[in-house]
Amino acid sequence: MRIIKLNLLALLVLLATNVACAQRGPAYDDEIEVATQPQAETVQVKSAKMGRNIPVVVTVPEQYFDADLQEELFPVVYLLHGADGDCNNWPNKADLDGLASDFGVIIVCPDGQDSWYFDSPIDPKFQFETFVAQELVDYVDHHYRTFRDKDMRAITGLSMGGHGALWLAFRHPDVFGACGSMSGGVDITQFPDRWKIDQRLGPWAANKQRWADHAVINLVPSVKPGQHIIIDDGYSDIFYKVNLALHEALMQYKIPHEFTVRPGAHTWDYWVSALDHHMLFFSKAFAEASEKMTTEN
């Protein structure tokens, strides 16, 4: 097994020069058939717990098809959408083909279906913590050439997906070695009448403890140092105050993390820009893990 060596200097240059947004030249000689293979595909992943299939968009890097790299393994970034969205949001808004190739990763976008990415205690058809953290990870690891190692997995997302990414990573540190949140709704108790949360947990007034138990910010006392964590939000975002509170809670419990606040609101312009920063952050974590693997082997 050959282990990918990630070149951090090259990645920094790529990000700084916005290579992902520039005109991309051909990756392979025109005569090589694999160059025409699509990088993204939509797959139907069976959830045994929910008893139904969930659509998932998987994007692989260009080098995945290189005949000389057929033994290479790739890190995986799980990328979650927000409320009222679906698995096509990120592929339609961001250049995932370019990001996957520039950073040498597989990007997985599951359809979260307004689930808030936890297992609903009242609706057996919405068991998305089990789906993403167990069933989907198992599917991806068995159908693609991935590192089956937490340190080569990251998860992030926007808004509801930011909450979901941290919820899943904090509760499953054995699955995700790195995590992030962009404009995450990290304290659902502050928004009792929005985004169908009551359909997953029951009405807030009658289920206050349940809501509190499912709020990311209340997981902080149980979080252990060791994961790579990145959180960002815009000054004008609807979730700015709860993200600032999450940062302060992580500081209180001495959990290392990166927290960034930039101009911006709850918009795709902000999230597409933020994704570049998250990908670079994760690439550094993957490079550190890759170096450790090389040393151990």
Side-chain angles (χ1 to χ4, degrees), residues 92-137:
N92 289 339
K93 296 291 187 177
D95 179 18
L96 298 192
D97 286 3
L99 288 170
S101 298
D102 291 341
F103 289 97
V105 301
I106 296 171
I107 301 175
V108 179
C109 298
D111 201 303
Q113 303 178 7
D114 293 330
S115 65
W116 285 81
Y117 300 99
F118 43 60
D119 286 352
S120 170
I122 63 174
D123 190 342
K125 291 296 184 181
F126 280 80
Q127 305 295 301
F128 278 82
E129 177 175 351
T130 295
F131 175 69
V132 176
Q134 298 178 26
E135 296 172 329
L136 180 57
V137 168

Side-chain angles (χ1 to χ4, degrees), residues 52-263:
R52 60 193 180 104
N53 291 334
I54 304 298
V56 179
V57 179
V58 181
T59 304
V60 300
E62 290 176 332
Q63 51 269 41
Y64 191 90
F65 302 115
D66 192 322
D68 295 328
L69 301 176
Q70 291 305 298
E71 294 184 4
E72 295 285 7
L73 304 179
F74 294 84
V76 184
V77 175
Y78 290 82
L79 184 57
L80 309 182
H81 66 76
D84 298 322
D86 59 40
C87 61
N88 293 303
N89 285 168
W90 275 111
N92 289 339
K93 296 291 187 177
D95 179 18
L96 298 192
D97 286 3
L99 288 170
S101 298
D102 291 341
F103 289 97
V105 301
I106 296 171
I107 301 175
V108 179
C109 298
D111 201 303
Q113 303 178 7
D114 293 330
S115 65
W116 285 81
Y117 300 99
F118 43 60
D119 286 352
S120 170
I122 63 174
D123 190 342
K125 291 296 184 181
F126 280 80
Q127 305 295 301
F128 278 82
E129 177 175 351
T130 295
F131 175 69
V132 176
Q134 298 178 26
E135 296 172 329
L136 180 57
V137 168
D138 184 66
Y139 177 93
V140 170
D141 282 350
H142 282 86
H143 287 80
Y144 298 89
R145 300 198 312 274
T146 68
F147 290 95
R148 300 184 182 186
D149 188 296
K150 67 178 180 63
D151 292 326
M152 285 299 199
R153 290 192 205 101
I155 186 167
T156 189
L158 68 90
S159 194
M160 178 187 80
H163 170 281
L166 297 183
W167 172 264
L168 293 168
F170 289 172
R171 286 173 57 85
H172 301 274
D174 57 325
V175 178
F176 301 105
C179 59
S181 173
M182 311 170 215
S183 309
V186 295
D187 187 357
I188 58 174
T189 66
Q190 302 301 307
F191 307 93
D193 302 317
R194 305 289 298 275
W195 308 298
K196 303 177 184 177
I197 305 173
D198 59 343
Q199 296 181 27
R200 311 298 165 231
L201 298 177
W204 177 80
N207 299 277
K208 292 182 180 180
Q209 187 58 53
R210 180 184 292 166
W211 279 61
D213 291 343
H214 286 79
V216 160
I217 196 167
N218 293 330
L219 294 179
V220 172
S222 67
V223 175
K224 305 297 182 185
Q227 288 176 303
H228 298 268
I229 303 169
I230 179 171
I231 301 165
D232 70 82
D233 204 358
Y235 283 109
S236 302
D237 192 84
I238 56 176
F239 293 137
Y240 171 72
K241 290 183 178 179
V242 295
N243 276 278
L244 182 60
L246 175 62
H247 161 63
E248 292 172 346
L250 290 168
M251 291 287 288
Q252 177 184 348
Y253 283 90
K254 297 180 171 55
I255 305 300
H257 65 287
E258 182 172 306
F259 177 63
T260 303
V261 180
R262 296 179 287 115

Side-chain angles (χ1 to χ4, degrees), residues 10-61:
L11 292 174
L12 286 166
V13 173
L14 285 170
L15 188 62
T17 56
N18 293 314
V19 170
C21 298
Q23 180 67 36
R24 301 179 60 80
Y28 306 99
D29 188 281
D30 292 340
E31 296 180 359
I32 300 178
E33 185 176 354
V34 295
T36 64
Q37 295 190 44
Q39 289 180 243
E41 63 175 342
T42 300
V43 297
Q44 298 292 326
V45 180
K46 177 69 174 181
S47 170
K49 187 164 187 179
M50 291 188 281
R52 60 193 180 104
N53 291 334
I54 304 298
V56 179
V57 179
V58 181
T59 304
V60 300

